[in-house]
């Protein structure tokens, strides 16, 4: 019997050809692209270049290739039903994990190849993150575990209530020990918890400071769910790395962004996860309160864009029927409403989002050395946003999903 002393690694080259390519950054599309994949990694990207010997050729004809989309704020644990909180309450851990798995797969099929889960129950998203490492039907997952909230506060039913400076510090430490990627804290109330008031802060400055300090001591970023203006002001003073929602919501409207807040957001390069993405689902609509506030929210969004605030899409996928797993595609026209070009909106949902999530070295761009996460659509999404929904193919780390 002979034992081989060397193993020749078999290269699994795939050459994908299409009509156009958006690389995640360059506003000009590359014509006649060939993207060569070596297993799970992009080997080369070029225009009208020859296909390497032995590569399997996939010709997508008139399609446009883009980096897979990156959603900075999802809830895999919610099922995008009319009442996801009650639906979750009826599921044990195994059933909840099964729902999360199919939710994540649906996101991937819709072109979302990286998601950051900002609130689960029982750290279930960490189990799915582990599964995704070897399962090419799942997107890459980053996870916060259960959000840290006040006793009885917003999303308390997800199980991580903490009060006072010491309580908050202990909660952050417990999350760090479980191996989360980010800390999520509910700085203000929220919409989907009965009795919770989004326009009111939940924590004071001292607790937010303790949370941010403890997160940073563990080399973890921290993001604050913040609607109320006071919660945003305190969150900035506390040193939050990013914010979710940032609606400046009042009891019956929306505050204009205070000038000093706008300046601080831009100067400190704080990332703002914009709660965009509204899927046109028959019979479903956003809550009337949000519809009434929309003009003021758009005005604030335009000012943030004008000031150069680092905006990404954090859709809150899962919380309602209008928020299906792949809802981020519907965030693109909303970014355009704020004044972005289509290319800028796609950049915000690919390369910029990947960088904001700490994955800018391997996600969000189609370039050599990057993970082969690719969305192929029919038509040109820069001139026709609807093209983004005509999905031809999705590759997750080099593996084509069956559609
Ligand atoms: Zn959320």
């Amino acid at each position: 019997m002979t034992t081989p002393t060397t193993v020749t690694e078999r290269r699994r080259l795939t050459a994908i050809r299409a009509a156009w390519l958006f690389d995640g950054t360059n506003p000009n599309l590359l014509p006649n692209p060939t993207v060569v994949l070596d297993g799970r990694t992009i080997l080369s990207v070029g225009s009208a270049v020859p296909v390497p010997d032995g590569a399997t050729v996939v010709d997508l004809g008139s399609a446009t290739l883009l980096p897979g989309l990156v959603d900075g704020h999802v809830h895999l644990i919610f099922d995008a039903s009319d009442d996801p909180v009650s639906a979750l309450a009826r599921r044990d851990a195994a059933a909840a994990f099964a729902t999360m798995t199919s939710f994540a797969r649906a996101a991937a099929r819709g072109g979302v190849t990286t998601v950051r889960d900002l609130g689960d129950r029982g750290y279930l998203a960490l189990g799915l993150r582990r599964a995704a490492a070897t399962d090419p039907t799942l997107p890459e997952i980053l996870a916060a575990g259960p959000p840290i909230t006040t006793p009885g506060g917003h999303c308390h039913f997800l199980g991580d209530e903490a009060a006072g400076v010491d309580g908050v510090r202990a909660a952050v430490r417990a999350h760090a020990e479980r191996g989360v990627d980010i800390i999520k804290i509910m700085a203000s109330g929220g919409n989907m918890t009965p009795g919770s008031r989004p326009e009111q802060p939940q924590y004071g400055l001292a607790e937010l400071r303790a949370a941010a300090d403890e997160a940073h001591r563990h080399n973890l970023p921290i993001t604050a769910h913040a609607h109320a203006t006071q919660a945003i002001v305190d969150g900035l003073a506390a040193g939050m790395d990013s914010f979710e929602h940032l609606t400046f919501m009042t009891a019956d409207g929306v505050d204009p962004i205070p000038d000093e807040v706008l300046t601080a957001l831009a100067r400190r390069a704080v990332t703002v996860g914009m709660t965009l993405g509204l899927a046109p689902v028959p019979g479903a609509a956003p809550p009337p309160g949000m519809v009434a506030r929309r003009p003021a929210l758009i005005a604030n969004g335009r000012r943030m864009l004008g000031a150069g605030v680092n905006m990404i899409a954090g859709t809150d996928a899962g919380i309602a029927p209008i928020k299906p797993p792949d809802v981020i595609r519907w965030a693109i026209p909303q970014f355009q409403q704020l004044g972005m070009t289509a290319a800028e909106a796609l950049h915000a949902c690919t390369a910029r989002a990947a960088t904001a999530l700490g994955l800018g070295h391997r996600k969000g761009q189609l370039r050599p050395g990057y993970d082969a996460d690719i969305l192929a659509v029919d038509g040109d999404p820069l001139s026709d946003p609807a093209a983004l929904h005509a999905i031809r193919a999705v590759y997750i780390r080099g593996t084509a999903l069956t559609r």
Side-chain angles (χ1 to χ4, degrees), residues 73-75 78 118-119 154-155 184 186 192 225 244-245 275 314-317 319:
H73 182 160
V74 306
H75 295 281
F78 294 139
L118 289 185
H154 179 45
C155 286
K184 160 93 173 290
M186 300 300 202
M192 67 191 308
H225 157 110
E244 309 304 316
H245 314 306
T275 319
T315 62
D316 239 346
I319 65 159

Side-chain angles (χ1 to χ4, degrees), residues 36-97:
V36 180
L37 317 185
D38 182 1
R40 49 186 291 153
T41 308
I42 297 174
L43 186 66
S44 64
V45 177
S47 182
V49 294
V51 170
D53 279 349
T56 308
V57 178
V58 177
D59 195 335
L60 294 175
S62 60
T64 300
L65 307 179
L66 312 98
L69 304 174
V70 179
D71 193 336
H73 182 160
V74 306
H75 295 281
L76 300 170
I77 197 112
F78 294 139
D79 59 5
S81 63
D82 283 326
D83 185 0
V85 176
S86 302
L88 174 61
R90 292 190 293 270
R91 292 187 189 114
D92 62 10
F97 191 79

Side-chain angles (χ1 to χ4, degrees), residues 24-400:
T25 299
N26 190 329
N28 301 310
L29 297 181
L30 182 76
N32 303 313
T34 301
V35 179
V36 180
L37 317 185
D38 182 1
R40 49 186 291 153
T41 308
I42 297 174
L43 186 66
S44 64
V45 177
S47 182
V49 294
V51 170
D53 279 349
T56 308
V57 178
V58 177
D59 195 335
L60 294 175
S62 60
T64 300
L65 307 179
L66 312 98
L69 304 174
V70 179
D71 193 336
H73 182 160
V74 306
H75 295 281
L76 300 170
I77 197 112
F78 294 139
D79 59 5
S81 63
D82 283 326
D83 185 0
V85 176
S86 302
L88 174 61
R90 292 190 293 270
R91 292 187 189 114
D92 62 10
F97 191 79
T99 310
M100 291 174 90
T101 306
S102 35
F103 192 97
R105 286 193 174 129
R109 283 195 303 274
V112 191
T113 54
T114 302
V115 297
R116 186 170 63 179
D117 188 287
L118 289 185
D120 66 10
R121 190 184 71 189
Y123 294 94
L124 287 175
L126 295 187
L128 202 58
R129 178 183 73 180
R130 215 163 18 247
T134 53
D135 181 345
T137 67
L138 289 169
E140 176 109 4
I141 295 169
L142 297 183
I148 298 174
T149 193
T150 50
H154 179 45
C155 286
H156 63 90
F157 45 81
L158 293 177
D160 218 302
E161 297 162 286
V165 165
D166 293 343
V168 165
R169 274 196 190 273
V172 172
R173 260 195 314 275
H175 279 68
E177 278 157 19
R178 296 295 290 258
V180 299
D181 299 295
I182 184 168
I183 299 293
K184 160 93 173 290
I185 188 161
M186 300 300 202
S188 77
N191 284 308
M192 67 191 308
T193 308
S196 180
R197 304 278 297 272
E199 73 278 10
Q200 290 178 3
Q202 289 200 151
Y203 285 115
L205 177 56
E207 291 149 316
L208 295 179
R209 254 200 192 124
D213 179 58
E214 195 65 31
H216 294 153
R217 262 175 22 88
H218 290 90
N219 289 319
L220 287 173
I222 179 166
T223 193
H225 157 110
H227 287 290
T229 302
Q230 189 60 49
I232 294 163
V233 169
D234 287 347
L236 268 171
M240 294 293 154
D241 301 294
S242 56
F243 288 93
E244 309 304 316
H245 314 306
L246 211 82
T247 57
F248 299 88
M249 198 183 284
T250 62
D252 56 359
V254 170
D255 281 333
I257 306 182
D259 287 340
E260 63 279 13
V261 171
L262 189 63
T263 309
L265 287 169
R267 186 170 41 80
R268 288 173 38 195
V270 171
T271 298
V272 177
M274 301 287 285
T275 319
L276 303 180
L278 296 171
V281 176
M290 293 311 286
V291 174
R293 287 178 174 92
R294 197 175 288 155
L297 291 170
I298 291 173
N300 276 346
R302 287 194 170 142
R303 284 186 66 213
M304 283 196 272
L305 183 65
V309 173
N310 194 41
M311 290 190 275
I312 66 168
T315 62
D316 239 346
I319 65 159
I322 55 169
K323 297 285 189 180
D326 55 353
V327 68
I328 191 173
R329 295 199 313 273
W330 300 98
I332 306 292
Q334 286 184 290
F335 269 134
Q336 290 180 265
Q337 240 180 350
L338 301 184
M340 287 189 190
T341 64
E344 286 165 346
L346 284 168
H347 173 67
C349 295
T350 54
R352 183 191 295 152
T355 300
L357 269 57
L359 299 173
H361 56 295
R362 62 185 177 92
K363 297 286 185 189
Q365 296 186 58
L366 297 183
R367 54 188 273 195
Y370 275 57
D371 287 357
D373 292 345
I374 302 169
L375 167 61
V377 300
D378 275 325
D380 170 8
L382 293 195
S383 53
D384 172 20
L388 210 54
H389 306 297
I391 297 179
R392 281 284 297 277
V394 177
Y395 285 78
I396 298 260
R397 299 178 296 278
T399 303

